[in-house]
Amino acid sequence: MDLRRFFEMVNCSKNIAVGFGVAALTITLSCQAQISYSQTIFSQSKSLIANNQIMTTEPRTLAGHSNVVNAVTWSPNGKIIASASHDNSIKLWDASTNKLITTLTGHNGGANTISWSPDGKTIASSGFDDTIKLWDVSTGNLIKTLAKHNSIRSLAWSPDGKTIASSGLDNNVNIWDATTGKLIQTLNHSYAVVGVAWSPDGKNIAAASLDSTAIWDVTTGKRLKTLYGHMGYLSSVAWSGDGKMIASASDDQTIKLWNATTGELIKNLYGHGYGATSVAWSRDSKILASAGVDNTIKLWDTTGKRIKTLAGHNNPVMSVSWSQDGKTLVSASQDKTIKLWDLNNLVKDEEVTEKVTLNGHSSDVDDTAWSYDGKILASASGDKTIKLWDGTTGKLIKTLSGHKYGALNVSWSADNKTLASSNGSEVIIWDTTTGKLIKTFTSKASNGLTWSADGKTLAVAGNDGAITLWDATTGKLIKTLAGHSNSYISSVAWSVDGQILASAANDNTIKLWDKTTGNLIKTLTGHTNVGVNDVPDGTFTNGMAWSYDGKTLASASGDKTIKLWDISTGKLIKTLAGHSSTVIDVVWNNNGNLTSVSQDKTIKLWDVSTGKSLKTVGINIPVSWNVAWSRDGKKLASGKAFKTIKIWDIDFNNFAKNETELITNKPTKENKTLIGHSDVVNSVAWSSDGKTIASASLDKTIKLWNASTSKLIQTLTGHNNAVLDVTWSPDNKTLASASADTTIKLWDATTGKLIQTLTGHKYTVVDITWSADSKTLASASSDKTIKFWNVATGQLIKTVNAYSDSLRNVTWSADGKTLASTGIDGENLHDPDTISWTNNIKVWNTTTGKLIKTITEYTNNIWKIAWSGDSKTLASGGEDNTIKLWDTATGKLLKTLTGHVDVVTGIAWKPKSKIIASTSADNSIKLWNTTTGELIETLTGHSLAVTDVAWSPDGKTLISASIDNTIKIWNINFDI
């Protein structure tokens, strides 16, 4: 790839981490100031949820930066933590009290890296302004600014404290005299240098460039060796404290361990579902920590075994650093927070261990397939051969040679006697006993093969959207199935009786075909990425599996879900959500359960009747978009893009007890999905008559939908930034919308015409609420004020300065007498030693605007509040993952509802009922009994975080909005 073109391509994108890799992630942080408030509410790459792969101890959180935290590092004495942020500041924190000590400002354009002097007296920092600054830690004063180094990406102080190394996108490593600030030496690379690390003795430097890691002799300036092996751009490099190993991280999803002396590769670590951003060794060199775009931190021992996954950040983790005693890890994230992880009494994750590795191919393996009896594994390779392996011992049985070009696909017949393989233009049928070639026939663009159950028909998938059926005996073409509209067909699978063929393609559909007639039976839609991986190389999964009774089809997708389909009706039965990255493949077990494997490096066992994940274990699977399950689900093989093949034995009985989740199952199913928005749906609302649904989106529009037919009625445009909230007036005459463009717009609910625009807020309007008489509208803004508006005239009635730090939510009580708000108050904001923040709920008199009551029993940010219908109870939810019920008269906590595993984003009371609905970034909606506090039901179907929820006026239907750009309608057929 032309790297100059690569840098030209970099721009603002919420998918930047996946689209351009980790190197681009840091390059483009300067664009993020343009991203609106609602774009940063959630991350699309959610952390592992609802499984035993999560660190259960809640980390301490340091909040204070107003933008992405790019780097974090511990002082040599372990007493202070330094952080660098895109908000242009470096902050120093007391590691024992979590309090902010001081803020260092001076960079223009964001601070991106920091490094402590060995004596702990000075900090070196760099910024997007291309400068390196040295700071006196005791006074906070700037000592000096070094000459510019273009596009700095890494800093490291030498062990003796005399020099500082910096690396940048100008392809250079510069070495500076720490005392005089003068440039001493420049080490030149061919490409941009994104990471730099000193050897413990200070004699050598490891520099991670986009293509490789170079080891330099600092004295002579000579390159000693170059470490090649990553298949993506590098992002970080770290030298172990004992000097024996070098760790490098890359957006190819791997961390590599190298012998620092010989330069030989020791181990590949596969664990992050997306790219790895940072690596850091513990002081004793026994544990390596890595950070990733998948929002997690992973801990590894020196053998390459994954010890633990730490999940808690809501956005990519940019940096990690160890305390001196190795008991605490600190991390910095794009979610603007720093987290401290207590690693005392660490419980290791469960993980499947690799059984055997098969070596023998001289080129990359493109496909693997198990014989029906699970005894033999066949592999197809770019070396033009098919190899047959003993699945138990790993010994090579036979090599089949005959392809003119590299073999791409392989498939067994049901009797285990015959094998089919293809190279993209020809298909060969082999006798597996003798290894002899039986027949060859030409098949255009073959991307996948599968045999019918009777062994008479071979289905070949093409990248032109067509499937061809061949007589396996004569080699003649029987018929062509066309219907995927020139799409790449990623997977084909025969039903158990061999009468129906299922095909999945990147047109986001699964099609069912009649084998006899060749007619299309049904088209299944619902996945946002059917068989398509959300990965840089654009390849596809094999993820479809028929149940043993042939009644159900399971499909795995790049949208991180598994869907179960009723074949007789073509309807979606259930969506299994829980993986945090592409689901590569699925297999049915003999007991009717389902097993899945994902690029989040986990395997999950699912109860298909409830949709619950029963067990989760880790698997150190390579960057592979092809796996092969044995038919009983007990063996897994993987070999895509490598010359070697790995086999794992999968036996869940060897692992811990089932995962548990308090859930009472009810027959609630997703009724309909409304698709039309082109970006995140932030808010949904019912009209007072229950006939119309309104939705507000990041795409700057409001859409009106017919609640009965689910058809789009009208799209309202006028806002020039994200629309964050939408709500109907109680009299059903007016629709109000709030936007990041700082305005509120009032629309005629009948015609959809804009009535007027309310202006007065300085910053984003985050929430709006109507008075019971429809005469007054209250709005909450990032400018920390609540404003009351006369709807008839559009005039501002009053302004309440509600909070000193931030304001998030506002809602009117049903009786119209009071207004509740959520936000954060700060005290001693100008004194770093005594500054503090309080998350609270405030209740206001709507007539006078005076504060009636403050509820302060919160340690985490509150995201949403909602009044009960009788105005006696207030429900709140937020970053502690719970819903709390408060007595509005006394301010006392009545009950805490626990069950979500991520931020609670929305709350809605069912009309005239004791049921409350909550939404969460864990992709679910939960229904609760507010009297008992029990969880009634969990609704799953959204593939990403759920942002809002609303009840129909009659309480029989629920609507939900999500980051997956959809609105879902749920029929609720029960009450309490």
Side-chain angles (χ1 to χ4, degrees):
M1 181 179 184
D2 185 342
L3 292 177
R4 291 172 297 178
R5 176 61 182 150
F6 167 79
F7 292 124
E8 291 170 3
M9 289 166 60
V10 173
N11 54 36
C12 292
S13 169
K14 63 181 178 180
N15 293 319
I16 194 165
V18 176
F20 293 115
V22 176
L25 190 67
T26 55
I27 294 168
T28 58
L29 287 176
S30 59
C31 297
Q32 293 201 349
Q34 302 169 24
I35 300 176
S36 70
Y37 167 85
S38 58
Q39 280 179 286
T40 57
I41 290 179
F42 304 108
S43 166
Q44 292 201 28
S45 50
K46 291 306 299 170
S47 58
L48 300 177
I49 60 173
N51 60 52
N52 56 3
Q53 297 299 112
I54 288 184
M55 177 91 175
T56 55
T57 304
E58 181 69 23
R60 290 179 284 158
T61 300
L62 309 182
H65 282 295
S66 60
N67 209 322
V68 172
V69 186
N70 296 314
V72 65
T73 184
W74 225 292
S75 64
N77 63 11
K79 294 182 179 181
I80 301 175
I81 295 168
S83 58
S85 168
H86 203 66
D87 63 11
N88 299 348
S89 74
I90 296 100
K91 291 184 182 292
L92 304 185
W93 310 81
D94 187 304
S96 59
T97 67
N98 302 339
K99 288 186 177 181
L100 180 65
I101 300 170
T102 190
T103 298
L104 313 178
T105 58
H107 283 292
N108 181 21
N112 60 358
T113 64
I114 41 176
S115 180
W116 287 86
S117 62
D119 60 11
K121 295 180 180 181
T122 310
I123 286 178
S125 66
S126 69
F128 291 107
D129 56 7
D130 298 341
T131 67
I132 301 168
K133 296 182 183 296
L134 304 185
W135 307 86
D136 186 306
V137 175
S138 61
T139 65
N141 292 334
L142 177 64
I143 300 171
K144 63 168 60 73
T145 299
L146 310 188
K148 286 196 173 186
H149 182 176
N150 291 338
S151 303
I152 304 167
R153 289 297 173 266
S154 182
L155 281 180
W157 218 296
S158 64
D160 61 9
K162 295 180 180 180
T163 54
I164 300 167
S166 64
S167 68
L169 302 186
D170 62 355
N171 305 355
N172 293 330
V173 175
N174 287 343
I175 300 175
W176 310 82
D177 186 302
T179 304
T180 65
K182 291 183 178 180
L183 180 63
I184 304 171
Q185 190 177 10
T186 296
L187 311 175
N188 184 258
H189 279 257
S190 300
Y191 298 111
V193 188
V194 295
V196 64
W198 291 86
S199 61
D201 60 11
K203 294 180 179 180
N204 300 321
I205 282 179
S209 184
L210 291 184
D211 65 332
S212 62
T213 299
I215 311 299
W216 297 87
D217 184 307
V218 177
T219 304
T220 64
K222 291 183 178 180
R223 185 188 292 222
L224 301 178
K225 55 182 65 72
T226 302
L227 314 179
Y228 291 103
H230 282 293
M231 295 190 296
Y233 298 120
L234 276 76
S235 55
S236 179
V237 65
W239 213 305
S240 62
D242 59 12
K244 295 180 180 180
M245 283 190 287
I246 293 171
S248 58
S250 168
D251 68 359
D252 66 5
Q253 302 185 28
T254 72
I255 296 103
K256 292 184 183 292
L257 303 183
W258 309 85
N259 183 308
T261 303
T262 65
E264 294 178 351
L265 178 64
I266 300 171
K267 197 81 176 178
N268 284 306
L269 313 182
Y270 309 99
H272 289 288
Y274 297 98
T277 59
S278 177
V279 282
W281 289 95
S282 61
R283 305 295 177 178
D284 60 8
S285 302
K286 292 182 179 180
I287 302 177
L288 180 73
S290 62
V293 180
D294 60 4
N295 306 353
T296 69
I297 301 110
K298 296 183 184 294
L299 305 181
W300 314 81
D301 65 20
T302 54
T303 68
K305 181 176 176 57
R306 183 171 45 178
I307 302 170
K308 197 73 187 174
T309 295
L310 311 179
H313 281 295
N314 296 323
N315 285 93
V317 186
M318 303 302 295
S319 177
V320 285
S321 177
W322 290 87
S323 62
Q324 190 69 30
D325 59 10
K327 295 180 180 179
T328 311
L329 191 73
V330 65
S331 57
S333 169
Q334 279 197 33
D335 64 13
K336 307 176 188 177
T337 70
I338 300 143
K339 292 186 182 293
L340 286 86
W341 308 84
D342 185 348
L343 303 183
N344 286 308
N345 304 315
L346 187 68
V347 178
K348 293 183 177 181
D349 286 338
E350 294 175 315
E351 188 161 310
V352 180
T353 55
E354 178 186 322
K355 179 187 177 183
V356 65
T357 298
L358 314 180
N359 293 294
H361 282 294
S362 59
S363 186
D364 289 347
V365 176
D366 283 297
D367 197 17
T368 51
W370 288 95
S371 59
Y372 269 58
D373 58 13
K375 294 180 180 180
I376 302 174
L377 183 73
S379 58
S381 169
D383 63 11
K384 307 177 187 178
T385 70
I386 314 295
K387 292 185 182 291
L388 306 184
W389 311 83
D390 187 301
T392 303
T393 65
K395 290 183 178 180
L396 180 63
I397 300 171
K398 206 178 264 86
T399 297
L400 313 179
S401 301
H403 277 295
K404 298 176 182 177
Y405 307 103
L408 299 175
N409 307 105
V410 63
S411 178
W412 287 85
S413 63
D415 61 7
N416 298 314
K417 295 180 180 179
T418 314
L419 192 76
S421 61
S422 74
N423 65 3
S425 59
E426 65 176 357
V427 176
I428 297 178
I429 311 296
W430 308 86
D431 184 311
T432 57
T433 304
T434 64
K436 291 183 178 180
L437 187 153
I438 300 173
K439 192 175 300 302
T440 299
F441 57 89
T442 301
S443 175
K444 180 182 177 181
S446 53
N447 298 319
L449 302 170
T450 184
W451 290 85
S452 60
D454 58 10
K456 296 180 179 180
T457 308
L458 190 68
V460 180
N463 62 9
D464 56 357
I467 303 126
T468 50
L469 302 184
W470 300 83
D471 186 307
T473 304
T474 65
K476 291 183 178 180
L477 177 65
I478 302 171
K479 56 176 59 74
T480 299
L481 314 178
H484 276 294
S485 62
N486 295 318
S487 300
Y488 187 111
I489 298 174
S490 55
S491 179
V492 282
W494 288 100
S495 60
V496 177
D497 61 8
Q499 296 304 305
I500 300 175
L501 183 71
S503 60
N506 65 344
D507 60 3
N508 292 353
T509 68
I510 298 165
K511 294 185 182 293
L512 305 181
W513 308 85
D514 185 292
K515 173 192 172 185
T516 305
T517 65
N519 293 335
L520 177 64
I521 303 171
K522 287 182 179 70
T523 298
L524 313 180
T525 59
H527 280 299
T528 54
N529 291 89
V530 177
V532 182
N533 288 323
D534 48 350
V535 295
D537 66 1
T539 52
F540 306 90
T541 67
N542 289 333
M544 290 194 298
W546 290 83
S547 61
Y548 283 88
D549 61 10
K551 295 180 179 180
T552 309
L553 182 72
S555 57
S557 171
D559 64 13
K560 309 172 190 176
T561 70
I562 301 122
K563 292 187 183 291
L564 306 180
W565 308 87
D566 185 310
I567 296 306
S568 62
T569 65
K571 291 184 177 179
L572 177 66
I573 302 170
K574 198 175 265 82
T575 297
L576 312 182
H579 282 297
S580 64
S581 187
T582 295
V583 186
I584 307 171
D585 208 353
V586 287
V587 65
W588 291 88
N589 304 317
N590 294 330
N591 60 5
N593 288 332
L594 196 72
T595 305
S596 60
V597 60
S598 166
Q599 270 304 317
D600 64 12
K601 319 303 180 187
T602 67
I603 295 173
K604 285 182 178 287
L605 177 66
W606 303 87
D607 183 326
V608 296
S609 63
T610 65
K612 289 171 57 179
S613 172
L614 299 175
K615 295 178 182 177
T616 302
V617 295
I619 181 168
N620 199 7
I621 193 169
V623 184
S624 173
W625 314 113
N626 176 278
V627 296
W629 286 101
S630 60
R631 285 179 60 80
D632 59 7
K634 294 182 178 180
K635 289 189 179 73
L636 181 71
S638 174
K640 178 78 173 177
F642 292 92
K643 297 176 184 178
T644 60
I645 303 154
K646 296 180 183 293
I647 297 176
W648 293 266
D649 279 341
I650 312 298
D651 185 358
F652 282 102
N653 294 323
N654 293 333
F655 299 102
K657 295 180 180 179
N658 291 356
E659 299 167 11
T660 58
E661 181 182 5
L662 295 174
I663 182 168
T664 304
N665 292 293
K666 295 284 180 180
T668 298
K669 293 183 180 179
E670 168 195 334
N671 183 33
K672 292 176 182 175
T673 299
L674 310 183
I675 300 174
H677 283 294
S678 61
D679 214 324
V680 174
V681 184
N682 294 314
S683 176
V684 283
W686 284 91
S687 61
S688 302
D689 60 10
K691 295 180 179 180
T692 311
I693 295 167
S695 58
S697 170
L698 202 67
D699 65 13
K700 307 176 187 178
T701 71
I702 302 108
K703 290 183 182 292
L704 303 183
W705 311 81
N706 185 303
S708 299
T709 65
S710 302
K711 290 184 178 179
L712 179 64
I713 301 170
Q714 192 173 7
T715 298
L716 311 182
T717 60
H719 285 293
N720 57 30
N721 208 327
V723 188
L724 303 182
D725 195 22
V726 64
T727 180
W728 296 85
S729 61
D731 64 9
N732 216 42
K733 294 180 180 179
T734 311
L735 187 72
S737 58
S739 172
D741 66 11
T742 75
T743 71
I744 301 134
K745 291 184 182 293
L746 303 182
W747 312 82
D748 186 300
T750 304
T751 65
K753 290 184 178 180
L754 179 64
I755 301 170
Q756 60 184 322
T757 298
L758 310 181
T759 60
H761 282 295
K762 295 179 180 178
Y763 304 115
T764 296
V765 184
V766 294
D767 204 9
I768 45 178
T769 181
W770 287 91
S771 61
D773 60 9
S774 301
K775 294 180 180 180
T776 310
L777 189 74
S779 58
S781 169
S782 297
D783 63 15
K784 311 170 195 175
T785 68
I786 299 169
K787 292 183 183 291
F788 293 81
W789 308 84
N790 184 310
V791 175
T793 65
Q795 291 182 344
L796 178 65
I797 301 170
K798 66 171 71 74
T799 297
V800 176
N801 294 310
Y803 293 85
S804 60
D805 187 85
S806 62
L807 173 60
R808 186 183 292 275
N809 194 220
V810 65
T811 182
W812 221 301
S813 62
D815 61 14
K817 296 179 181 179
T818 52
L819 191 81
S821 63
T822 65
I824 302 174
D825 280 319
E827 295 180 2
N828 303 321
L829 296 178
H830 302 291
D831 187 352
D833 295 325
T834 60
I835 192 171
S836 63
W837 287 272
T838 304
N839 298 279
N840 57 52
I841 300 168
K842 293 183 180 181
V843 181
W844 309 84
N845 182 303
T846 56
T847 304
T848 64
K850 290 184 178 180
L851 180 64
I852 302 171
K853 191 179 278 76
T854 301
I855 300 171
T856 59
E857 296 180 39
Y858 255 98
T859 56
N860 297 90
N861 289 338
I862 308 162
W863 283 58
K864 193 71 175 179
I865 49 175
W867 292 92
S868 60
D870 59 10
S871 301
K872 293 180 179 180
T873 309
L874 194 65
S876 62
E879 290 182 3
D880 64 0
N881 306 346
T882 71
I883 298 99
K884 296 185 186 296
L885 305 180
W886 307 89
D887 185 310
T888 55
T890 64
K892 290 184 178 180
L893 178 64
L894 301 175
K895 207 171 262 79
T896 299
L897 314 180
T898 59
H900 282 297
V901 294
D902 210 329
V903 177
V904 177
T905 58
I907 300 172
W909 290 82
K910 184 176 182 180
K912 300 177 183 179
S913 174
K914 296 176 182 178
I915 294 176
I916 197 170
S918 61
T919 62
S920 170
D922 65 14
N923 304 2
S924 75
I925 302 113
K926 291 184 184 291
L927 305 181
W928 310 84
N929 182 327
T930 57
T931 302
T932 65
E934 292 180 348
L935 177 63
I936 302 169
E937 185 178 12
T938 297
L939 311 180
T940 58
H942 284 293
S943 60
L944 294 171
V946 190
T947 57
D948 197 18
V949 65
W951 290 92
S952 59
D954 63 7
K956 294 181 179 180
T957 310
L958 196 68
I959 52 174
S960 57
S962 171
I963 280 183
D964 64 13
N965 303 357
T966 70
I967 300 114
K968 290 188 182 293
I969 302 176
W970 313 81
N971 290 334
I972 308 301
N973 54 8
F974 62 90
D975 205 340
I976 55 175

